[in-house]
Amino acid sequence: MGEQEGRSVCLVIGAGAGIGGSVGARFAAEGYHAVLCRRSDEAGLLRLVEGIRRNGHDATGYLLDVAHDGAMEERIESVERDIGPIEVVVYNIGAQIGNRSLDETPHRTFELGWRLGTFGLFRVAKALFPRMVERGGGTVLVTSATAAVRGNAGQHSHAAAMGGRRLLCQTLNAEFAAQGIHVVHVLVDGAVDAPDTLGRMLGKDAFEALRAERGSRDALLRPDRMAETYLHLARQHRSAWTHEIDLRAWTDVPWFNSNGIGRSVAL
Amino acid sequence: MGEQEGRSVCLVIGAGAGIGGSVGARFAAEGYHAVLCRRSDEAGLLRLVEGIRRNGHDATGYLLDVAHDGAMEERIESVERDIGPIEVVVYNIGAQIGNRSLDETPHRTFELGWRLGTFGLFRVAKALFPRMVERGGGTVLVTSATAAVRGNAGQHSHAAAMGGRRLLCQTLNAEFAAQGIHVVHVLVDGAVDAPDTLGRMLGKDAFEALRAERGSRDALLRPDRMAETYLHLARQHRSAWTHEIDLRAWTDVPWFNSNGIGRSVAL
Amino acid sequence: MGEQEGRSVCLVIGAGAGIGGSVGARFAAEGYHAVLCRRSDEAGLLRLVEGIRRNGHDATGYLLDVAHDGAMEERIESVERDIGPIEVVVYNIGAQIGNRSLDETPHRTFELGWRLGTFGLFRVAKALFPRMVERGGGTVLVTSATAAVRGNAGQHSHAAAMGGRRLLCQTLNAEFAAQGIHVVHVLVDGAVDAPDTLGRMLGKDAFEALRAERGSRDALLRPDRMAETYLHLARQHRSAWTHEIDLRAWTDVPWFNSNGIGRSVAL
Amino acid sequence: MGEQEGRSVCLVIGAGAGIGGSVGARFAAEGYHAVLCRRSDEAGLLRLVEGIRRNGHDATGYLLDVAHDGAMEERIESVERDIGPIEVVVYNIGAQIGNRSLDETPHRTFELGWRLGTFGLFRVAKALFPRMVERGGGTVLVTSATAAVRGNAGQHSHAAAMGGRRLLCQTLNAEFAAQGIHVVHVLVDGAVDAPDTLGRMLGKDAFEALRAERGSRDALLRPDRMAETYLHLARQHRSAWTHEIDLRAWTDVPWFNSNGIGRSVAL
C-alpha cells in the first residue's frame, strides 16, 4: 500500500451497492483513496473495491460494525496511519427497518436505530474532528432521509434516530464550521435505485419490477447521479458552503406533500 | 390511599420546583391525583406533595431514575394498580447540561442525554399506550426545548436528544392519535423561573439576580402560568387537537431569531 | 348602543358560519362586544349577530370588503370611536379558492389572494397597532391554513398569500410583542365543519354527506371547540405566550404526512 | 445577433455586480447566451455584458422594470423570438430595503416588496412555463434570503414577500417538476460581496471596510463561487434534483441561530 500513503482519503461508512458505493467510486475517480466500510457481505465489498481498482483508481475495503464500540475509532486510527489523511467522510449509515408499529418495535430495536443513526456520527466526530481541525479542515457528507424532518406511522425508531442526527449535524457545524469542517445534511427524499438497501427491503422480484417501471424514466434516485452532487458539495469554496440540501427524483412528491402512499418504497 | 383508588392520575415525570411541580399542582386542583416523580431530592419532592395536599388535593411522590431500565415501567405498573388509571402524563425530563464543546462531551454524556430525552419517552409509550388504547385514550404533554428544533454551539447531546424526541412525538401521534391518545410537543422557548433547573444551572446568586431583573416584569416564563396552557391542552376536544405549541415570555426573542446571546440562561 | 360604549371589543374580520362566527360568539359570552365583519350575505351576518344577542351578549355586524382600500381602516376607526377599544382581533380571512393549475390562476386571482391573505393583515396592523401600543397591548389571532407552511399542487395563490402572512405574523411579533401585542398564528390543518367556507366550496350535498360521515365521530374540526383554544390564547399570561399553534381533528393526518389525498376537502 | 439565434438562453432577472452578474457570466462560459436584465444603471449593465463578450462568450443586456406590468412578459417574448429558447432563468430580484419599523413601512412599500419578490416570479412562470413544458423542461434558480424562512424585526415587507415566494416555488414544483421544470429555492443566508446590493445599502466606505475585514478570509459569500453551485443545480440529472439548498460563508452563523446582531449586513 506504500505508493498510496499520504493520498487523501474519502472514507465511506456504509458502502453498499447504492449511494455509498457510487459516491466512493466517484471520489476515487477524482484521485481520492476510497476506503469503503460496511457491516457484512465481504464478497459484495470486494466487488466494489475491485470495480474501482479496475478503473485505475485506489480503494480499500473493510468490514466494520458501527454499533460495536471502538471498532470505528480503530478503523479511523488505522486508515489515518496506514493510508492517508481522511479528508472526506461519507456517513451513509441508515437506520431504516421498514414500518413497524410501536408494538413491533422492541427497546433494543429503538436503541440500535440510535446507535447506528445518531451515536455513530457522534463517534466519528469525536474520533476524527481533532485531526481535521489540526489539518485546517475536512468534509462530512451525511446521507439522510425523509425521517430526519418528520415523523410518520411506523417510523418510531427511524425518525427518532434521524431527527436527532439532523440536529447533531447542526451542532457540529455550529462548533466546527469556522474551524474549517464542513458538515452537510443531505436529505434523500425518495426511493433510491440501490440493490443493497431498497432491493433487500423489497425482495428481488418487487425491486426488479419497480426498477422496470420507474427506473427507465429516471423516477428512482440514481446513485451515480447523486454522487455528482456529493462531489460538488465537497468541492464548494468555503465562502459559499451548503449545510442542507434535498435530493429527489423529478417525479417524486416531496416529504411535506406526502404520506408515503404512492411512495410505498420511500426510504 | 383507599379513597383515591380509581381517581384519574396525572403522572408527572420530572417534577421539580418549576414546570413539573406547577403542572402537577394545577391538575391536582382539577381533581386529578398528581403522581410526582423525580430522580433525587426527596425533601424537595415531599414539599411539593405536601403543598398540594395542604390545598386539599391529592398527590403522591416517588423518587424515580428514568435512566434506570425497568424503573419507569414498574412505577407505571404500580401507579395503575394502586392509585388509578393514568390519564395524563407530563413528560418533563430535560437533558440540558449547559453548553459543552464536543471535546467536553464524553460518549457517556451523549448517551445519557438520549436515555433521558428520547428513550425515556419511548419507554413510557411502550409501557402505557396499550393501557390507554384499551381505555379509549389519554394525553401526553411533553415539555420540550429550543434544542428540539435547531442545533446550536455546545448543544451536541441536548439537541440530538430533543430533536429525536420531537420526531418521536410525531410518530406516536401518527400511530395513536386516531386511537384517542393525544401527544403534544410543548416547545418551551426561553428561560423558565424554575429554581430546580435554571436555578441550579446558574447558581443561587445569579438566579436571584435574574429573577429580580426579569421576573418582576414577567420576562421569565412562569410555571404557574404555563400550567394553564398545559391544562388547556389536556382538555381540548378531540375535534380540535393541538400537537405542537410554543411558549415564551412576551419579551423573549424566538429561537429562529436568536443565537442565545442575550439569552444566556435559555433552557 | 350607548350602554355598550367603552366595552372591550373583539373584532372578527371574516365572520361566517364557521370559525369566525363561533369565536365571536365565544368572546361575546365572556363579556366582549363582538364586532362581526364579513364581505357579503347580510342575512347570514344578521343571524349571527342576533344569535349572540339572544343569549344576552353584545354584538354588532358590518359588511366589509377587506380588498377595498380604506374600508377596513374606516371600520376600525369607527368601532374604536363608537363601540369601544379593540382588544382582540380575529383575522379570519382565508384566500382558499380550491386547487387551480397555474393556467387557471390569472394574475388578478393571484393578486386578490395576496390582498386578502397578506396585505389585509398588514393593513390591520398599520391601523390598529399604534392604538394598541398606546393602551399597553392587545391580541391578534390569525386563522391560518396548511398552505401557510408548505406549497402543494394547485395552491399557487393560496400558498403564496398564506406563506407571506405567516412570516408577517413573525415580523409583527418581533417588533410588537415586547410592546404588549400578542399575535398568534393558528395553523388550522384540516377540514372545518363550516357551512360558509367548506360548505360553499363542496356544495350542499357533498358537505352534508361529509358531515354525516365524519362529523358524528368528531373527524371534522368543530368551530365551537376551536373557539375554546382561541379564547385560551387571548387569555394567556404575558409570561407564557404562544405564537404558533396547530389544530386538527384527532383523525386527521398532519400536513407533513399528507398530500391532500383522503383530505380532499382540506382547507 | 444572427449567429446566436437558437442558442440556449440563460435569462438573469436582476443582474447587477453580484450574484446576478456572476451567475450570468458563469453560464455564458458554458455556452449559454446570457441575457442580463436589471432595472437601472445602463452603464453598469453594459460593463457586465462587455466583460462577458471580452471573454469570447455571448451576452445581451436590457433594462427591465419587473414591477411594471407587461414589461417582463414582453422581454421573455422577444428573447425567445430573437435570441433563443430560455432554458435557465435566474430570478435574482430581492426586496430587501433594510430594517424598517411598521411605522416606516408605508402601504406602497409593502406592496412593492410583494410585486418584486413574489408576483414577479409568478409572472415569469405564467409567461414562460407553457413554452418550457412544450420543450420538455427548463430550470429556474431563485435567489432567496434568510427572510424567506423566518420573520425578524423590521422585515415586514421583505419577509412577507420572500416567505410567499418560497411557498410559490413549492407550488410550482408540485405542478411542473414532473413536466420537466426544475425550480430551486436557493437560500442565501449571509452577507454577499456584492457592490450593487450590499455595497449600496452600506455605502462605499462601510462596504470597503467590510470587504477588507471579512473578504480576505472568505467570510463574505463570493458571487463567483456561488455561481458554481448555481451551475451545478442547473446540471443535476432529473433522477436527483434539489429543490432547496442553503449557502453561507463558513464563518457565518445560520439563520436559526442568529438574530442578525453581529450580522448587521445580512441580506
Side-chain angles (χ1 to χ4, degrees):
Chain A
M1 210 166 277
E3 78 280 12
Q4 292 138 3
E5 255 172 57
R7 294 293 287 278
S8 284
V9 168
C10 169
L11 173 68
V12 181
I13 301 174
I19 299 172
S22 293
V23 173
R26 190 68 190 82
F27 277 81
E30 295 297 312
Y32 288 87
H33 187 119
V35 175
L36 306 184
C37 300
R38 59 191 292 175
R39 192 175 57 83
S40 60
D41 186 5
E42 195 156 11
L45 178 60
L46 204 60
R47 273 196 303 278
L48 289 173
V49 168
E50 285 176 355
I52 293 174
R53 288 181 176 165
R54 244 193 327 271
N55 289 323
H57 309 136
D58 292 337
T60 309
Y62 299 102
L63 292 183
L64 171 68
D65 182 358
V66 172
H68 186 76
D69 272 350
M72 193 152 52
E73 290 77 1
E74 282 167 33
R75 183 50 61 208
I76 286 171
E77 168 73 26
S78 73
V79 166
E80 289 258 336
R81 187 186 57 230
D82 299 334
I83 304 185
I86 300 169
E87 232 178 58
V88 177
V89 175
V90 179
Y91 194 82
N92 195 49
I93 298 288
Q96 174 64 287
I97 49 169
N99 285 335
R100 299 200 190 172
S101 69
L102 185 66
D103 187 52
E104 296 161 338
T105 310
H107 287 198
R108 66 175 184 284
T109 298
F110 191 82
E111 176 162 352
L112 183 60
W114 170 77
R115 221 163 259 290
L116 298 173
T118 317
F119 192 46
L121 178 61
F122 175 78
R123 284 169 51 215
V124 168
K126 291 284 287 182
L128 190 56
F129 280 20
R131 295 170 186 268
M132 283 184 164
V133 167
E134 205 173 306
R135 289 195 290 261
T139 302
V140 183
L141 305 172
V142 180
T143 302
S144 186
T146 313
V149 283
R150 64 112 191 257
N152 205 351
Q155 295 280 299
H156 304 295
S157 162
H158 193 213
M162 296 312 237
R165 180 155 103 185
R166 178 170 177 255
L167 295 210
L168 176 59
C169 289
Q170 296 181 355
T171 64
L172 291 174
N173 272 314
E175 183 173 341
F176 291 101
Q179 299 185 63
I181 301 179
H182 181 196
V183 181
V184 191
H185 185 256
V186 183
L187 185 57
V188 180
D189 185 32
V192 182
D193 186 357
D196 274 353
T197 46
L198 184 57
R200 287 182 187 190
M201 195 181 306
L202 294 179
K204 194 175 185 324
D205 289 355
F207 181 56
E208 288 308 324
L210 182 76
R211 270 181 145 172
E213 184 220 329
R214 295 177 60 172
S216 58
R217 52 193 174 96
D218 301 321
L220 289 174
L221 280 150
R222 283 180 49 181
D224 59 331
R225 302 304 191 153
M226 299 169 75
E228 299 298 328
T229 292
Y230 278 68
L231 184 65
H232 175 73
L233 293 166
R235 285 178 161 174
Q236 283 182 318
H237 187 258
R238 66 179 187 170
S239 80
W241 273 358
T242 291
H243 289 117
E244 190 158 65
I245 185 173
D246 51 24
L247 286 176
R248 62 180 65 85
W250 65 307
T251 48
D252 258 348
V253 170
W255 63 268
F256 49 76
N257 292 136
S258 166
N259 53 5
I261 291 172
R263 300 206 308 166
S264 55
V265 294
L267 285 191
Chain B
M1 211 165 278
E3 79 279 14
Q4 292 139 4
E5 255 172 58
R7 292 294 288 278
S8 285
V9 168
C10 170
L11 172 67
V12 181
I13 302 174
I19 299 172
S22 294
V23 173
R26 189 68 190 82
F27 277 81
E30 295 297 311
Y32 289 86
H33 186 119
V35 175
L36 307 184
C37 301
R38 59 191 293 175
R39 193 176 57 83
S40 59
D41 186 6
E42 194 155 10
L45 178 61
L46 204 61
R47 273 195 302 277
L48 289 173
V49 168
E50 285 175 354
I52 293 173
R53 289 179 175 167
R54 244 193 326 271
N55 289 323
H57 309 136
D58 292 337
T60 309
Y62 300 101
L63 292 184
L64 171 68
D65 182 358
V66 172
H68 187 76
D69 271 350
M72 193 153 50
E73 290 78 2
E74 283 168 33
R75 183 50 60 209
I76 286 171
E77 169 73 26
S78 73
V79 166
E80 289 258 336
R81 186 185 59 230
D82 299 334
I83 304 185
I86 300 169
E87 233 179 57
V88 177
V89 175
V90 180
Y91 194 81
N92 195 50
I93 298 288
Q96 174 63 288
I97 50 169
N99 286 335
R100 299 201 191 173
S101 68
L102 185 65
D103 187 51
E104 297 161 338
T105 310
H107 287 197
R108 68 176 183 283
T109 299
F110 191 82
E111 176 162 354
L112 183 60
W114 170 77
R115 221 164 260 290
L116 298 173
T118 318
F119 193 46
L121 178 61
F122 175 79
R123 285 169 50 213
V124 168
K126 291 285 289 183
L128 190 55
F129 280 19
R131 295 170 186 269
M132 283 184 164
V133 167
E134 206 173 306
R135 288 193 291 259
T139 302
V140 182
L141 306 172
V142 180
T143 302
S144 186
T146 312
V149 282
R150 64 110 190 256
N152 205 350
Q155 295 281 299
H156 304 295
S157 162
H158 193 214
M162 296 311 238
R165 180 155 102 184
R166 178 168 177 256
L167 295 211
L168 176 60
C169 290
Q170 296 181 356
T171 64
L172 291 173
N173 273 313
E175 183 172 341
F176 292 100
Q179 299 184 63
I181 301 179
H182 181 197
V183 180
V184 191
H185 185 256
V186 184
L187 185 57
V188 180
D189 186 33
V192 182
D193 186 358
D196 273 353
T197 47
L198 185 58
R200 288 183 186 189
M201 195 182 306
L202 293 179
K204 194 174 185 323
D205 289 354
F207 181 57
E208 288 308 326
L210 182 77
R211 271 182 143 170
E213 184 219 329
R214 296 177 59 171
S216 58
R217 52 193 174 96
D218 301 320
L220 289 174
L221 280 150
R222 283 180 49 181
D224 60 331
R225 302 303 191 155
M226 299 169 75
E228 298 299 328
T229 291
Y230 277 68
L231 183 65
H232 174 74
L233 293 166
R235 285 177 160 174
Q236 283 183 315
H237 186 257
R238 65 180 187 170
S239 81
W241 272 358
T242 291
H243 289 117
E244 190 157 65
I245 185 174
D246 51 24
L247 286 176
R248 61 180 66 85
W250 64 309
T251 48
D252 257 348
V253 170
W255 63 270
F256 48 76
N257 292 136
S258 165
N259 54 5
I261 292 172
R263 300 206 309 168
S264 55
V265 294
L267 284 191
Chain C
M1 209 165 279
E3 78 280 16
Q4 293 137 3
E5 254 171 59
R7 292 293 288 277
S8 283
V9 168
C10 170
L11 172 67
V12 182
I13 302 174
I19 299 172
S22 293
V23 173
R26 190 68 189 81
F27 277 81
E30 295 296 312
Y32 288 86
H33 187 119
V35 175
L36 307 184
C37 302
R38 60 190 292 174
R39 192 175 59 83
S40 59
D41 186 7
E42 194 155 11
L45 178 61
L46 205 61
R47 274 195 304 276
L48 289 173
V49 168
E50 285 176 355
I52 292 173
R53 289 180 174 167
R54 244 192 327 270
N55 289 321
H57 309 137
D58 293 337
T60 310
Y62 300 101
L63 292 183
L64 171 68
D65 182 357
V66 172
H68 186 76
D69 272 350
M72 192 153 51
E73 289 78 1
E74 283 168 31
R75 182 51 59 208
I76 286 172
E77 169 74 26
S78 74
V79 166
E80 289 259 337
R81 186 186 57 231
D82 300 334
I83 304 185
I86 300 169
E87 232 178 59
V88 177
V89 175
V90 179
Y91 194 82
N92 194 49
I93 297 288
Q96 175 63 288
I97 50 171
N99 285 335
R100 300 201 189 171
S101 68
L102 186 65
D103 186 53
E104 297 162 338
T105 310
H107 287 198
R108 68 176 183 285
T109 299
F110 191 83
E111 177 162 352
L112 183 60
W114 170 77
R115 220 164 261 290
L116 297 174
T118 316
F119 192 46
L121 178 61
F122 175 79
R123 285 169 50 214
V124 168
K126 291 284 288 183
L128 189 57
F129 280 20
R131 295 172 186 268
M132 283 184 165
V133 167
E134 205 173 308
R135 289 194 289 261
T139 302
V140 182
L141 306 172
V142 180
T143 302
S144 185
T146 312
V149 283
R150 64 112 192 254
N152 206 350
Q155 294 282 299
H156 303 295
S157 161
H158 193 213
M162 296 311 236
R165 179 155 104 184
R166 179 169 177 256
L167 294 210
L168 176 60
C169 289
Q170 296 181 355
T171 64
L172 291 173
N173 272 313
E175 183 172 341
F176 292 100
Q179 299 184 64
I181 300 179
H182 181 196
V183 180
V184 191
H185 185 256
V186 183
L187 185 56
V188 179
D189 185 33
V192 182
D193 186 358
D196 274 352
T197 47
L198 184 58
R200 288 183 185 188
M201 194 181 308
L202 293 179
K204 195 175 184 322
D205 289 353
F207 181 57
E208 288 309 325
L210 182 78
R211 270 181 145 172
E213 183 220 329
R214 295 177 60 171
S216 58
R217 49 191 176 99
D218 301 321
L220 290 173
L221 280 149
R222 284 180 49 181
D224 60 332
R225 302 303 190 152
M226 299 170 73
E228 298 298 327
T229 291
Y230 277 68
L231 183 65
H232 175 74
L233 292 167
R235 287 177 160 176
Q236 284 183 316
H237 187 257
R238 66 178 187 170
S239 81
W241 273 357
T242 291
H243 290 117
E244 188 157 64
I245 186 174
D246 51 23
L247 285 176
R248 61 181 66 85
W250 65 307
T251 47
D252 257 349
V253 170
W255 64 269
F256 49 77
N257 293 135
S258 166
N259 55 4
I261 292 171
R263 301 206 309 164
S264 55
V265 294
L267 285 190
Chain D
M1 209 166 278
E3 78 280 16
Q4 293 138 3
E5 254 172 58
R7 294 292 289 278
S8 284
V9 168
C10 170
L11 173 67
V12 181
I13 302 173
I19 299 172
S22 293
V23 172
R26 189 68 190 82
F27 277 81
E30 295 296 312
Y32 289 86
H33 188 118
V35 175
L36 306 185
C37 301
R38 60 190 292 174
R39 192 176 58 83
S40 59
D41 187 6
E42 196 156 12
L45 177 60
L46 204 60
R47 272 195 303 277
L48 288 174
V49 168
E50 285 176 354
I52 292 173
R53 290 180 175 167
R54 243 193 326 269
N55 289 321
H57 309 136
D58 292 338
T60 309
Y62 299 101
L63 293 183
L64 171 68
D65 182 357
V66 172
H68 186 77
D69 271 350
M72 193 153 50
E73 289 77 2
E74 283 167 33
R75 182 51 58 209
I76 285 172
E77 169 74 26
S78 73
V79 166
E80 289 258 336
R81 185 185 60 229
D82 299 333
I83 304 185
I86 300 169
E87 234 178 57
V88 177
V89 175
V90 179
Y91 194 82
N92 195 49
I93 298 288
Q96 175 63 289
I97 48 170
N99 286 335
R100 300 201 190 171
S101 68
L102 186 66
D103 186 52
E104 297 161 338
T105 309
H107 286 198
R108 68 176 183 283
T109 299
F110 191 81
E111 176 162 353
L112 182 60
W114 170 78
R115 221 163 259 290
L116 297 174
T118 316
F119 192 47
L121 178 62
F122 175 78
R123 285 169 50 214
V124 167
K126 291 284 287 182
L128 189 56
F129 280 20
R131 295 170 187 269
M132 284 185 164
V133 166
E134 205 173 308
R135 289 193 291 259
T139 302
V140 182
L141 306 172
V142 180
T143 302
S144 184
T146 312
V149 283
R150 64 112 191 254
N152 205 351
Q155 295 282 298
H156 304 295
S157 162
H158 193 213
M162 296 311 238
R165 178 155 105 185
R166 179 169 176 256
L167 294 210
L168 176 60
C169 289
Q170 296 181 356
T171 64
L172 292 173
N173 273 313
E175 183 172 341
F176 292 100
Q179 299 185 63
I181 301 179
H182 181 195
V183 180
V184 191
H185 185 256
V186 183
L187 185 57
V188 180
D189 186 31
V192 182
D193 186 359
D196 274 353
T197 46
L198 184 57
R200 287 181 187 191
M201 194 182 306
L202 293 179
K204 194 176 185 321
D205 289 354
F207 181 55
E208 289 308 325
L210 181 77
R211 271 180 144 174
E213 184 218 330
R214 295 177 61 172
S216 58
R217 52 193 175 97
D218 302 321
L220 290 174
L221 280 151
R222 283 180 49 180
D224 59 333
R225 303 301 191 155
M226 300 170 73
E228 298 299 327
T229 291
Y230 278 68
L231 183 65
H232 175 74
L233 292 166
R235 286 177 160 175
Q236 284 183 317
H237 187 257
R238 66 180 187 169
S239 81
W241 273 356
T242 291
H243 289 116
E244 188 157 65
I245 185 174
D246 51 23
L247 286 176
R248 63 180 66 85
W250 65 306
T251 47
D252 259 348
V253 171
W255 63 269
F256 48 76
N257 294 136
S258 166
N259 53 6
I261 291 171
R263 301 206 308 165
S264 55
V265 294
L267 284 190

